[in-house]
Amino acid sequence: MLMAIDMPALRPDVSPRAPAGDSGHHPDGRPKIRVSQIHFYYGSFQALDDVSLAIGANRITALIGPSGCGKSTFLRVLNRMYETVRSARVEGSVFLDDQDALAMDVTELRRRVGMVFQKPNPFPKSIFDNVAYGLKVNGLRNRARLREAVERSLRRAALWEEVKGKLHDSAYALSGGQQQRLCIARALAVDPEVLLLDEPSSALDPIATGKIEELLFHLKQSCTIVIVTHNMQQAARIADDTGFFLMGRLIEFDKARVIFKTPARKETEDYITGRFG
C-alpha cells in the first residue's frame, strides 16, 4: 500500500509514471497551455520532476493527489507566482497558446492567467473597489465603464444579485463563500483567458461549494480553468480532464471519466479509492 509521506527530496524508487500524453496536443482539440518537461526546485529541493501535459481550451482540468505532491507548485508555475520565492527556479517550457509563458512580460501573463487562492483574500476595500482594482491598475479610469465592468464581473461570478445594493460596503462583511466568489469576480474583471484555482472551496460549506462548482461549470464557456482539489467527488463532478500527482510527478493524466472509472495506474486507483493519501 502506498502512503503519502513528506520527504526531503524525491524518492528514486517511485515507479516510472505512465506517459501523461503528448505535451503539445490535447485529444479534444486545441490546447490552451502546453507544458513540457517541467522540473521545479526550491533551492536544492525538487518539487516537480519532468511534468508534461496539454491543458485543453475551455475545459476544466482538475489536479488531484496527496498533500505535498506538487499540485499547487505546478499551478504557480503556470502564471509564475513562484517568482516571489527567491530560491525557486524552473526548467522546461510552458506555452500559452503559441507564446512562451516563461519569457513573456509577467504582468501581461498574470492578466491573461488569473489566480484564486484557497483562502478568500479580499482587499480591505469595498466590494466595488475589490472588483475594480485590476481594472484601475490596467489604466481604466472612466467611472461609467468601471461600473459596467464591475457589474459584468459580479454577474459572471454569480454574486451580483446578492451584493448589488451594497457595493460600497466592506468586502469583509460578506460570508466566506461570497468572499470567494468576490475573489473570482476580481480575477474575472480583467478578462483572463485562464483561471487557476487552488482548492477554492476547501473552507466552504456544501451549499457554498455547490455555488462555486456551478459557477466554474458556466465559466468554462469563456475561459480555461485549472483547479487543484483534494475533493475527489468535486473533481469527478466538474472536471473534463484530471491529472494525478504523486511526489512531484504526474503519474496519470486523462479525461476525468477515465481517471475515476478505469485508471491505468495502480497508484491512481489506490488514491481515488482511499487506500492512501
Side-chain angles (χ1 to χ4, degrees):
M1 180 181 295
L2 297 177
M3 298 296 291
I5 304 175
D6 290 331
M7 301 294 290
L10 290 176
R11 282 194 1 213
D13 59 336
V14 174
S15 57
R17 71 176 193 280
D22 184 344
S23 63
H25 174 70
H26 189 278
D28 279 341
R30 176 178 61 87
K32 185 65 181 178
I33 297 175
R34 291 175 291 122
V35 176
S36 181
Q37 297 179 309
I38 285 293
H39 300 262
F40 186 88
Y41 303 85
Y42 291 109
S44 61
F45 170 70
Q46 186 172 4
L48 294 174
D49 181 16
D50 196 23
V51 175
S52 298
L53 76 161
I55 296 171
N58 298 105
R59 296 173 70 84
I60 298 177
T61 298
L63 307 179
I64 62 173
S67 297
C69 68
K71 306 182 302 296
S72 294
T73 295
F74 177 76
L75 211 64
R76 283 156 175 75
V77 169
L78 299 182
N79 76 341
R80 289 164 52 191
M81 275 300 225
Y82 64 85
E83 292 184 356
T84 59
V85 180
R86 181 173 297 180
S87 64
R89 63 186 175 90
V90 64
E91 299 171 359
S93 64
V94 178
F95 279 85
L96 176 61
D97 292 327
D98 294 322
Q99 291 186 267
D100 184 350
L102 300 183
M104 66 190 295
D105 177 76
V106 71
T107 301
E108 173 65 10
L109 175 64
R110 290 177 186 163
R111 187 197 66 75
R112 296 175 63 186
V113 183
M115 189 157 185
V116 176
F117 297 94
Q118 178 177 2
K119 184 179 178 182
N121 61 338
F123 300 146
K125 300 174 180 287
S126 69
I127 294 168
F128 183 95
D129 286 338
N130 263 269
V131 182
Y133 180 82
L135 297 164
K136 291 179 179 178
V137 167
N138 282 278
L140 182 59
R141 293 289 183 269
N142 181 280
R143 194 69 182 176
R145 290 181 60 194
L146 277 173
R147 285 197 299 269
E148 290 173 2
V150 166
E151 179 177 344
R152 177 174 177 269
S153 300
L154 288 169
R155 286 188 183 278
R156 290 180 71 192
L159 191 57
W160 174 253
E161 293 300 327
E162 297 169 45
V163 303
K164 62 183 180 182
K166 46 187 176 182
L167 293 177
H168 300 291
D169 291 357
S170 170
Y172 293 152
L174 299 175
S175 69
Q178 289 174 324
Q179 286 187 13
Q180 192 64 296
R181 281 182 285 148
L182 178 66
C183 293
I184 293 174
R186 187 174 67 201
L188 292 174
V190 294
D191 286 324
E193 300 164 35
V194 180
L195 188 61
L196 311 175
L197 303 106
D198 192 356
E199 297 191 64
S201 58
S202 64
L204 305 181
D205 61 54
I207 293 176
T209 295
K211 290 182 178 180
I212 295 290
E213 291 178 5
E214 183 178 3
L215 166 61
L216 297 182
F217 182 78
H218 290 291
L219 283 177
K220 74 174 183 177
Q221 299 173 35
S222 57
C223 65
T224 299
I225 295 171
V226 186
I227 179 172
V228 165
T229 180
H230 278 105
N231 187 325
M232 296 299 98
Q233 291 76 21
Q234 180 176 73
R237 282 193 299 265
I238 70 172
D240 299 296
D241 307 301
T242 298
F244 170 56
F245 280 76
L246 180 64
M247 299 183 71
R249 296 181 180 180
L250 179 62
I251 300 299
E252 188 169 353
F253 181 75
D254 211 322
K255 294 179 180 178
R257 64 177 180 271
V258 174
I259 293 291
F260 289 105
K261 291 183 178 180
T262 56
R265 295 298 300 267
K266 185 178 186 300
E267 298 99 317
T268 311
E269 181 180 359
D270 285 347
Y271 180 72
I272 289 171
T273 56
R275 292 182 186 138
F276 79 99

